[in-house]
Amino acid sequence: MNQNFSFIILTFNEEIHLPRLLESIKKLNASTFILDSGSTDETLKIAEHYGAEVKQNPFINHPKQWDFALKNFKVETPWTIGLDADQTVTPELFEMLDNFKEEDYLDINGIYFNRKNFFQGSWIRFGTFYPFYLLKMFRTGIGFSDLNENMDHRFIVPGKTLIWKKGWILEENLKENDIAFWKAKHERYSDLVAQEEIERMQKLRLQSLKPDLLGNPDEKRAWLKQLWWKLPLGFRPYLYFGYRMFFKFGIFEGPTGIKFHYLQGFWFRKLVDKKIKVIQKNRS
């Protein structure tokens, strides 16, 4: 077995995605742990077929699910890699992992992978979506899940990190080819985000990371989120959509990409703001 790293994957009804991911990492011969939240399809049979260790835990949100996974799987390798079921490892990233040597990273606690995001078969290249660096690999027992988030999950490590700019993961949720599925999912997500923002207004949630526009990718996003929360409700979705479309060249994305930027960058953000206003009105 691989002595350098192990994989942890979250699943819920991922029969359409899980074989694709597990095939992309199979030849790395690394221990694989899967935390499932009640799949009713063939997910568990697929996990068993690939020799993964599986645990079950009811889903509340992604940060809490990752927290449970990191604390309840007995990972014996010095490094852990956390992946989503709808992601795959590219040959370039596979090669970097295959050649990974612990002695080359003695002063590093976390590694960012570069993500390519796909929507309905189209690579979303513009509008802030590429390059997009995610902390996916970290020292076991040092990296942890940021519980100050209610929806977006991120891993945090103290100390030094680095970026593998050519270490790509591909992310494509094939279920989102059905736009009704996408909208239903983001209806649920909007509830989580609206509640999170209300709690931040009440100082019940604080940022775990120090916002820093010149810092690592997550510190930069923390700075931008801090700016976002200061913008006027109802107006900021228009500002953000315009920024993505014109300043970040989303307009060159093509019909499918433009649809994605509209849905994710405007429709979803406007829905969140509407729900925040409803919560504020009910409480007043």
Side-chain angles (χ1 to χ4, degrees):
M1 294 298 292
N2 194 308
Q3 299 299 308
N4 291 314
F5 52 80
S6 302
F7 291 97
I8 298 180
I9 303 165
L10 302 188
T11 59
F12 174 68
N13 289 341
E14 300 293 352
E15 65 180 11
I16 195 173
H17 296 129
L18 191 57
R20 185 181 65 179
L21 169 57
L22 294 179
E23 277 295 318
S24 75
I25 63 175
K26 181 174 65 174
K27 292 183 180 179
L28 291 169
N29 200 32
S31 297
T32 301
F33 304 90
I34 291 178
L35 182 61
D36 188 72
S37 51
S39 292
T40 56
D41 64 359
E42 298 296 307
T43 296
L44 299 184
K45 290 183 180 179
I46 294 167
E48 181 182 359
H49 173 75
Y50 282 89
E53 179 182 331
V54 179
K55 289 184 183 292
Q56 293 278 349
N57 189 56
F59 186 87
I60 299 174
N61 62 28
H62 284 96
K64 289 182 179 179
Q65 195 75 342
W66 275 113
D67 182 64
F68 183 93
L70 295 179
K71 291 177 178 176
N72 286 275
F73 283 120
K74 189 178 179 181
V75 178
E76 297 182 343
T77 52
W79 290 80
T80 298
I81 301 173
L83 296 176
D84 298 331
D86 60 357
Q87 295 173 335
T88 56
V89 169
T90 60
E92 295 86 354
L93 178 55
F94 180 96
E95 183 178 358
M96 296 179 79
L97 291 172
D98 198 34
N99 295 326
F100 183 87
K101 294 179 181 178
E102 164 70 9
E103 57 266 28
D104 295 336
Y105 297 89
L106 294 178
D107 62 336
I108 300 297
N109 282 343
I111 300 173
Y112 285 86
F113 297 167
N114 197 355
R115 183 194 69 180
K116 290 184 178 181
N117 188 75
F118 288 77
F119 175 72
Q120 297 185 338
S122 293
W123 173 26
I124 308 302
R125 296 174 295 165
F126 303 110
T128 74
F129 268 72
Y130 185 81
F132 197 92
Y133 303 114
L134 296 170
L135 184 66
K136 286 294 189 179
M137 185 171 180
F138 45 86
R139 290 195 177 274
T140 302
I142 293 180
F144 60 93
S145 177
D146 185 359
L147 295 177
N148 276 316
E149 297 287 329
N150 201 28
M151 190 196 77
D152 294 333
H153 79 81
R154 72 169 53 82
F155 301 119
I156 296 178
V157 294
K160 191 175 178 181
T161 62
L162 60 79
I163 297 172
W164 284 353
K165 293 187 177 181
K166 293 184 178 180
W168 293 291
I169 51 175
L170 305 185
E171 183 172 320
E172 182 175 16
N173 191 327
L174 299 174
K175 301 175 189 177
E176 294 179 354
N177 290 338
D178 177 5
I179 202 65
F181 172 88
W182 192 97
K183 286 189 173 182
K185 183 175 80 170
H186 282 77
E187 278 278 0
R188 298 191 301 272
Y189 285 178
S190 66
D191 290 331
L192 294 173
V193 177
Q195 185 60 43
E196 176 185 323
E197 289 210 35
I198 289 291
E199 292 171 1
R200 290 193 186 280
M201 293 174 189
Q202 298 171 331
K203 307 299 183 184
L204 299 176
R205 286 182 187 267
L206 301 174
Q207 286 182 294
S208 300
L209 292 168
K210 180 182 178 181
D212 185 355
L213 190 57
L214 301 177
N216 67 41
D218 284 314
E219 290 168 340
K220 291 177 184 177
R221 285 193 282 271
W223 188 91
L224 291 170
K225 276 193 171 186
Q226 198 173 64
L227 175 62
W228 174 257
W229 295 326
K230 295 177 182 179
L231 296 174
L233 293 175
F235 170 72
R236 59 186 188 172
Y238 293 91
L239 185 65
Y240 182 51
F241 181 60
Y243 173 76
R244 278 171 60 160
M245 290 300 292
F246 300 106
F247 287 93
K248 289 296 181 177
F249 308 116
I251 198 169
F252 297 115
E253 203 80 71
T256 302
I258 290 173
K259 177 169 68 174
F260 172 80
H261 288 303
Y262 169 79
L263 289 169
Q264 204 271 347
F266 181 74
W267 179 86
F268 174 66
R269 310 292 168 178
K270 196 169 183 181
L271 183 62
V272 170
D273 282 9
K274 180 180 178 180
K275 291 186 176 182
I276 291 173
K277 290 180 178 179
V278 169
I279 294 172
Q280 289 175 325
K281 182 179 180 181
N282 290 341
R283 291 188 176 182
S284 63

